[in-house]
Amino acid sequence: MNTELRNTTRVAWAALRALLVLTLVTGVIYPLAVTGVAQAVFHDQANGSIVKADGKEVGSRLIGQSWNLPGTDRPDPKWFQGRPSHSGYDPLSTGSSQLGASNPTLVRNVETAKKQVAAFNGVPESAVPADAVTGSASAIDPDISPAYARIQVRRVAEANGLPKAAVAELVMHHTQGRMAGFLGEPRVNVLELNLALRDAVAGQHGS
């Protein structure tokens, strides 16, 4: 009986030591090591890819945001607009709408959105790309397609009193190609594009 008790105690103590060691390694040492490497090598990405303008944080390259008229839910014609988001770009509520491509509600919403986007940008409905009227799987996509950016050029240029060619050049300059040359699709980061637009407007008015 005493032998069995000793064996049980020995096994329990060994299991406890293993638990403590694994907790220390996986719960303390490993996270600290990963955090240290991330901060040293990928400081910007590890801290959320925060974008600053005039010394203030204005957003993240990784999270989309609204560009509406102040105090409203209506898009501001002065800014390039991002993809629709059913969560209001809330990073704590990521995920798609869960509606299938043939769902009548989704089809109706897309048709309505296409009319609105076409009218807002003064283009035919046939020119409206899919990402202008459908949300991303995360609902916080910070990028749009070059095609969506291009149909907004005329409206943005007119609203800001800029030459259309200058705004089109901004879009070209901020168009990123496929990652590694073959992954994903070309894209335009809306936040970075709008910050460049803001600088162009300031330069135009200051000249």
Side-chain angles (χ1 to χ4, degrees):
M1 186 68 175
N2 290 336
T3 301
E4 291 181 1
L5 180 60
R6 285 196 297 271
N7 288 338
T8 301
T9 302
R10 187 163 52 248
V11 170
W13 174 236
L16 179 60
R17 283 182 297 174
L19 174 63
L20 292 174
V21 170
L22 288 173
T23 299
L24 179 64
V25 172
T26 61
V28 179
I29 296 176
Y30 177 73
L32 287 176
V34 170
T35 300
V37 171
Q39 289 293 334
V41 183
F42 305 104
H43 180 77
D44 182 54
Q45 294 91 329
N47 288 288
S49 297
I50 299 300
V51 177
K52 293 185 177 180
D54 299 329
K56 298 179 181 179
E57 295 182 357
V58 294
S60 168
R61 293 184 182 87
L62 306 177
I63 301 175
Q65 59 182 278
S66 299
W67 297 91
N68 295 334
L69 290 166
T72 76
D73 59 356
R74 291 180 289 124
D76 192 330
K78 294 188 300 184
W79 301 111
F80 283 92
Q81 299 295 317
R83 296 188 68 169
S85 171
H86 74 277
S87 68
Y89 304 100
D90 183 355
L92 300 179
S93 302
T94 59
S96 69
S97 65
Q98 304 300 318
L99 298 178
S102 61
N103 184 282
T105 300
L106 178 62
V107 172
R108 185 168 57 253
N109 290 343
V110 167
E111 290 176 348
T112 300
K114 183 175 288 189
K115 289 182 173 63
Q116 293 172 342
V117 171
F120 185 58
N121 292 286
V123 298
E125 290 184 32
S126 58
V128 177
D131 65 307
V133 294
T134 56
S136 64
S138 67
I140 58 172
D141 192 346
D143 304 321
I144 57 175
S145 66
Y148 186 23
R150 285 194 293 268
I151 70 167
Q152 301 186 62
V153 166
R154 185 177 66 83
R155 182 252 304 162
V156 169
E158 291 178 353
N160 288 285
L162 293 173
K164 182 179 176 181
V167 178
E169 186 174 346
L170 287 178
V171 170
M172 289 180 58
H173 182 71
H174 286 83
T175 297
Q176 305 172 56
R178 292 180 172 85
M179 291 183 291
F182 65 94
L183 295 174
E185 296 294 332
R187 63 202 184 281
V188 180
N189 187 279
V190 180
L191 174 59
E192 293 181 339
L193 177 58
N194 277 335
L195 288 177
L197 172 65
R198 187 198 66 161
D199 292 342
V201 172
Q204 177 88 347
H205 293 166
S207 60

